[in-house]
C-alpha cells in the first residue's frame, strides 16, 4: 500500500491523473492537494470525491505549515507535483503568482521531502514539467532530454527554476526524483484560456476566435489521457534521477489546429463556415515560435505510445464541451470575464 500525493489534482491534467490512479490503483491511498485557484475546480473531481481510496485537501503547496500538518497526517511515499500557475499569458500579466506556486511551492514540498525522506530509496518526487523550459525552436529540429534549458517566458522560467531545484535536491540530498517535460495537452476539463478550449468555447458562443500573429507558431499536441498514462508508467517503471520528454509527435501550426477545430465543429453540429470567426490579433510578447519533442527514450525504453489520434481527440473534446455547457458557463463566469477583458480587450476591439 502506497500513499500518493497529487498536487494540483483539481486542475486539468491533475484531475485526469487522479481519476486514473483512483481507478487503476485501488490499493493506493490517493491524496489530492489543491489550493482551488481560478483553474482548480472540485467539479473536475466529482466522480472520485466519494472514492474510498481518495481524499481531497484544500492546501496551498507554498504554505509550509499546512504541508507539514498533512505530512504528519498522511505521509506520502510518492509526490506527483502538478500544482502550478500554468498559463503563459497570465505569467506575462502577473509573474509573481508563478514564482509563488511554481518555484516556492515546489521548494516547500522538496524541503519536507528532505526532512522526512532521509535515507529512503522507495520514495519518489515526480515533477510534472513542460517542454517550454527548452525555449523556442526554428523551423527544424526537436527537443531531446539533452537539450539546454532556455526558458523565455515568466511561466517557463518558473517551471525551469522548479526543475533545477528538483534535480539539485536529488543530487545533493539523494531524494529519488523524476522529471517529465511534456508538450501541449488538450482534452476535457481544460480551463478555456488555452488555445484549444478557448477556441471551442468561442465556437459554441459563435464569437470571434483570437489567433496570435499569423497563426504560424507551432506546438506539439498530446491528448491529456496519453500524458497521464506516460506519467504513471514512468512513476512505476522508470529508473530514478532521470528526465523524460513526453510527446505524441504531433507538431502543428496554430492556424491549422484552429481550422481543424472549426471544420470538426461544423461536421458535428451542422453549423457552416465557422472558420469565418477566426480573427488574427496582436501577437503575444516574446511568443516562442515552435516546440517539438523527440520522445525516443519513452517510446523505446519504456514502450509507451499515444493511443489517441489528433482528429479523434479534438472531436471528443468538442463533444465533451458541448455536453458540459453548465461546467463551461460556471468557469467562464466572474473572474474569467475580467481576465478575458484584460488579455484580449485591446487586441480584440473588433471582437464581439
Ligand atoms: P491547471 O492550471 O489546469 O491546474 C493547476 C492546478 O494547480 C489547479 O487546480 C490549481 O488550483 C492548482 N494550484 C495552483 N496554485 C496552487 C498552489 N499554490 N497550491 C496548490 N494548488 C495550486 O494546469 P494543468 O494544465 O493541469 O497543468 C498541470 C501541470 O502540468 C503544471 O505543472 C503544468 O506546468 C504542467 N504542464 C501542463 C501542460 C499543459 O499543456 N497544460 C503541458 C506540460 C506540463
Ligand atoms: P496556449 O494554449 O496558451 O499554450 P502555450 O502558450 O503554453 O503553448 O497557446 C498555444 C498556442 O496558441 C501558442 O502559440 C499561442 C497561441 N494562442 C493564440 O493564437 N490565441 C490565443 O488566444 C491563445 C490563448 C493562444
Amino acid at each position: 500500500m502506497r500513499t500518493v500525493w497529487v498536487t494540483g489534482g483539481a486542475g486539468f491534467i491533475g484531475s485526469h491523473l487522479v481519476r486514473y490512479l483512483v481507478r487503476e490503483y485501488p490499493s493506493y491511498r490517493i491524496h489530492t492537494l489543491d489550493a482551488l485557484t481560478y483553474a482548480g475546480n472540485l467539479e473536475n473531481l466529482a466522480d472520485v470525491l466519494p472514492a474510498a481510496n481518495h481524499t481531497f485537501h484544500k492546501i496551498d503547496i507554498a504554505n509550509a505549515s499546512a504541508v507539514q500538518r498533512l505530512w504528519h497526517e498522511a505521509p506520502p511515499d510518492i509526490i506527483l507535483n502538478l500544482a502550478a500557475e500554468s498559463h503563459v499569458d497570465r505569467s506575462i500579466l502577473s509573474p509573481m503568482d508563478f514564482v509563488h506556486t511554481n518555484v516556492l511551492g515546489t521548494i516547500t514540498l522538496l524541503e519536507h521531502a528532505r526532512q522526512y525522506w532521509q535515507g529512503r530509496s522507495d520514495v519518489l518526487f515526480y515533477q510534472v514539467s513542460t517542454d517550454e523550459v527548452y525555449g523556442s525552436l526554428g523551423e527544424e529540429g526537436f527537443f531531446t532530454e539533452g537539450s539546454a534549458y532556455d526558458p523565455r517566458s515568466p511561466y517557463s522560467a518558473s517551471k525551469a527554476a522548479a526543475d533545477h531545484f528538483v534535480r539539485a535536491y536529488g543530487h545533493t540530498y539523494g531524494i529519488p526524483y523524476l522529471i517529465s517535460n511534456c508538450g501541449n495537452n488538450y482534452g476535457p476539463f481544460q480551463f478555456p484560456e488555452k488555445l484549444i478550449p478557448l477556441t471551442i468555447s468561442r465556437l459554441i458562443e459563435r464569437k470571434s476566435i483570437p489567433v496570435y500573429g499569423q497563426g504560424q507558431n507551432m506546438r506539439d499536441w498530446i491528448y491529456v489521457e496519453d500524458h497521464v498514462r506516460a506519467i504513471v508508467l514512468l512513476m512505476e517503471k522508470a529508473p530514478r534521477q532521470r528526465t523524460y520528454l513526453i510527446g505524441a509527435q504531433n507538431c502543428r501550426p496554430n492556424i491549422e489546429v484552429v481550422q481543424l477545430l472549426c471544420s470538426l465543429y461544423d461536421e458535428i453540429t451542422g453549423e457552416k463556415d465557422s472558420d469565418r470567426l477566426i480573427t488574427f490579433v496582436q501577437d503575444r510578447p516574446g511568443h516562442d515560435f515552435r516546440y517539438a519533442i523527440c520522445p525516443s527514450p519513452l517510446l523505446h525504453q519504456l514502450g509507451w505510445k499515444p493511443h489517441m489520434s489528433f482528429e479523434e481527440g479534438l472531436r471528443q473534446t468538442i463533444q465533451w464541451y458541448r455536453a458540459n455547457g453548465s461546467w463551461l458557463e460556471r468557469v467562464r463566469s466572474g473572474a474569467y470575464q475580467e481576465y478575458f477583458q484584460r488579455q484580449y480587450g485591446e487586441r480584440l476591439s473588433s471582437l464581439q
Side-chain angles (χ1 to χ4, degrees), residues 87 132 184 193 195 198 210 212 219 254 284 287 344:
H87 190 41
E132 304 189 25
N184 286 57
E193 63 189 354
L195 181 67
L198 180 73
Y212 296 158
R219 295 294 181 265
N254 295 333
R284 170 188 284 172
H287 195 174
Y344 296 99

Side-chain angles (χ1 to χ4, degrees), residues 186-188 196 200 223 312-321:
Y186 70 98
I196 287 178
I200 297 171
Y223 191 66
E312 181 54 22
L314 290 182
R315 195 174 280 118
Q316 289 189 17
T317 304
I318 293 171
Q319 278 158 343
W320 185 87
Y321 281 90

Side-chain angles (χ1 to χ4, degrees), residues 7-15 33-41 44 57-63 81-87 97 100-102 105 127-132 155 159 180-186 189-191 193-194 221-222 224 227 231:
T7 76
F12 162 50
I13 302 171
S15 62
L33 287 70
D34 199 295
L36 298 180
T37 67
Y38 78 93
N41 187 345
N44 300 357
H57 310 268
K58 184 171 186 298
I59 282 183
D60 175 349
I61 58 161
N63 179 341
N81 186 30
L82 287 84
E85 288 295 333
S86 68
H87 190 41
D97 297 341
H100 174 84
T101 294
N102 302 3
Q127 175 71 359
V128 174
S129 191
T130 166
D131 60 351
E132 304 189 25
Y155 165 65
K159 292 296 289 185
S180 58
N181 300 83
C182 187
N184 286 57
N185 286 228
Y186 70 98
F189 295 107
Q190 187 168 28
F191 194 82
E193 63 189 354
K194 302 218 173 60
W221 296 97
I222 183 171
V224 60
H227 182 194
I231 292 172

Side-chain angles (χ1 to χ4, degrees), residues 211-217 254-255 280-281 283:
V211 173
Y212 296 158
Q214 292 306 305
Q216 296 307 309
N217 299 60
N254 295 333
I255 188 65
F280 294 101
V281 300
D283 211 345

